[in-house]
Amino acid sequence: MDPSTDPALEAAVADLTLAVGQLVRRLRSVASPSALTLSQLSALARLDRQGAMTTADLARAESIKPQSMGAVLAGLEQDGLVGRRPHPTDGRQILFALTPAGAEERRRRGAAKREWLLTALAELDPADLGTLVAAIPLIKRLAES
Amino acid sequence: MDPSTDPALEAAVADLTLAVGQLVRRLRSVASPSALTLSQLSALARLDRQGAMTTADLARAESIKPQSMGAVLAGLEQDGLVGRRPHPTDGRQILFALTPAGAEERRRRGAAKREWLLTALAELDPADLGTLVAAIPLIKRLAES
DNA sequence: TATTGTTATACTCTATAACTATA
DNA sequence: TATAGTTATAGAGTATAACAATA
């Protein structure tokens, strides 16, 4: 679009797209019986951090459609990891929150992915690990922009 | 698994999983008519960098099953972005490679995702951008480990 | 016997569209 | 009229299983 674009920035775009795509595929491929999906883990983590939220707010936060988030939450609810309660003042809204079992199951059923990545990270030298850790909030900022 | 694990490393695992998952969902949501998927872009990029490859080699490199890569390649082949030719010595294998049109279409049909990310990156300050760029090869190394 | 690729089938995630209930 | 959530349907991406051809 813009012909005066920095070529290094162009390269970063291509490389970053490739890198995160591959890491996600790799993480997804680290599955085990009854493992939670990345979408489910992401929704659980957000509910844990931010407390009860509605379907629409969760969908906005995760950049998916409310109907899609509804499907994610339906799976979690069926497993007893999240529960629903009516919004105190707005009868249309429903608040979803982690159940007591939710936090524990989240740890247990995310274990395979976590352990694979933990091992991979432990193999980086300290300087590289520092760089990567510093980059994490930047990646989050990109995702939210 | 290992009870003596560094808590900071545990936090990095959770944060990195969340961050790359969200960035990928965000990238995927930046679609336009006739846009290529992340899987297709990744396969095209690899064929561009490494030259002709077989289905099985591509699948291994991208951490998906050969049957799944077959589906990705079928879509690209139907659009004329990749072509096939028999392996010179092994009659079982088929080599896939970018067509002349492939490189150009790859640029054009990956444009929406690229431009969104380009804009987001351009909003980082130089130090943060440097950190992020330095982290890209590390993410790739994780994905390949 | 092992490997490459293909076909058939199914599951997950996400999307769009249409509907109901509430504001 | 606008918004929250649900239901129905479809498409992309990936998986497993079974098969044919070649090594």
Side-chain angles (χ1 to χ4, degrees):
Chain A
M1 188 89 89
D2 178 0
S4 67
T5 293
D6 179 355
L9 211 55
E10 286 272 8
V13 164
D15 285 353
L16 182 57
T17 301
L18 224 57
V20 296
Q22 288 177 200
L23 182 54
V24 163
R25 274 199 293 282
R26 190 67 161 81
L27 271 169
R28 188 163 38 208
S29 77
V30 179
S32 64
S34 87
L36 294 168
T37 66
L38 290 178
S39 296
Q40 289 176 321
L41 285 171
S42 191
L44 287 179
R46 192 172 294 274
L47 288 176
D48 199 15
R49 285 200 317 275
Q50 303 186 8
M53 296 175 72
T54 66
T55 303
D57 285 341
L58 270 169
R60 258 190 296 273
E62 300 285 334
S63 296
I64 62 178
K65 297 295 171 190
Q67 299 96 316
S68 302
M69 182 54 74
V72 173
L73 288 171
L76 293 171
E77 191 177 20
Q78 195 172 352
D79 286 6
L81 306 187
V82 303
R84 61 172 68 199
R85 60 182 148 85
H87 190 283
T89 63
D90 187 335
R92 295 170 305 180
Q93 297 186 41
I94 296 175
L95 287 165
F96 287 87
L98 280 186
T99 60
E104 175 58 29
E105 284 293 291
R106 175 188 156 206
R107 266 196 60 80
R108 197 178 66 73
R109 296 170 63 183
K113 291 175 181 17
R114 193 168 53 244
E115 279 163 17
W116 170 78
L117 186 51
L118 195 57
T119 302
L121 283 178
E123 286 169 0
L124 295 178
D125 70 46
D128 284 347
L129 184 56
T131 299
L132 187 58
V133 167
I136 293 173
L138 303 174
I139 295 171
K140 279 190 184 167
R141 197 190 309 170
L142 291 178
E144 283 159 10
S145 69
Chain B
M1 190 91 88
D2 179 0
S4 68
T5 293
D6 178 355
L9 211 55
E10 286 272 9
V13 164
D15 285 353
L16 182 57
T17 301
L18 224 57
V20 296
Q22 289 179 200
L23 182 54
V24 163
R25 274 199 295 282
R26 190 67 161 82
L27 271 168
R28 189 162 38 206
S29 78
V30 179
S32 64
S34 88
L36 294 168
T37 67
L38 289 177
S39 297
Q40 289 177 320
L41 285 171
S42 191
L44 287 178
R46 192 173 293 275
L47 288 175
D48 199 15
R49 286 200 316 275
Q50 304 186 8
M53 295 175 74
T54 67
T55 302
D57 285 342
L58 270 168
R60 258 189 297 273
E62 300 284 334
S63 296
I64 62 177
K65 299 294 172 189
Q67 300 96 315
S68 303
M69 183 53 75
V72 172
L73 287 171
L76 293 172
E77 191 178 22
Q78 194 171 351
D79 286 6
L81 305 188
V82 304
R84 62 172 67 201
R85 60 184 148 84
H87 190 283
T89 64
D90 186 336
R92 296 170 304 179
Q93 299 185 40
I94 296 175
L95 287 165
F96 287 87
L98 280 186
T99 59
E104 174 59 28
E105 284 294 291
R106 175 187 155 208
R107 266 196 61 79
R108 195 178 66 73
R109 295 170 64 182
K113 291 176 179 26
R114 194 166 55 243
E115 280 163 17
W116 170 79
L117 186 51
L118 195 57
T119 301
L121 284 178
E123 286 169 0
L124 294 178
D125 69 47
D128 285 347
L129 184 57
T131 298
L132 186 59
V133 167
I136 293 173
L138 302 174
I139 295 172
K140 278 190 184 167
R141 198 191 307 168
L142 291 178
E144 283 158 11
S145 70

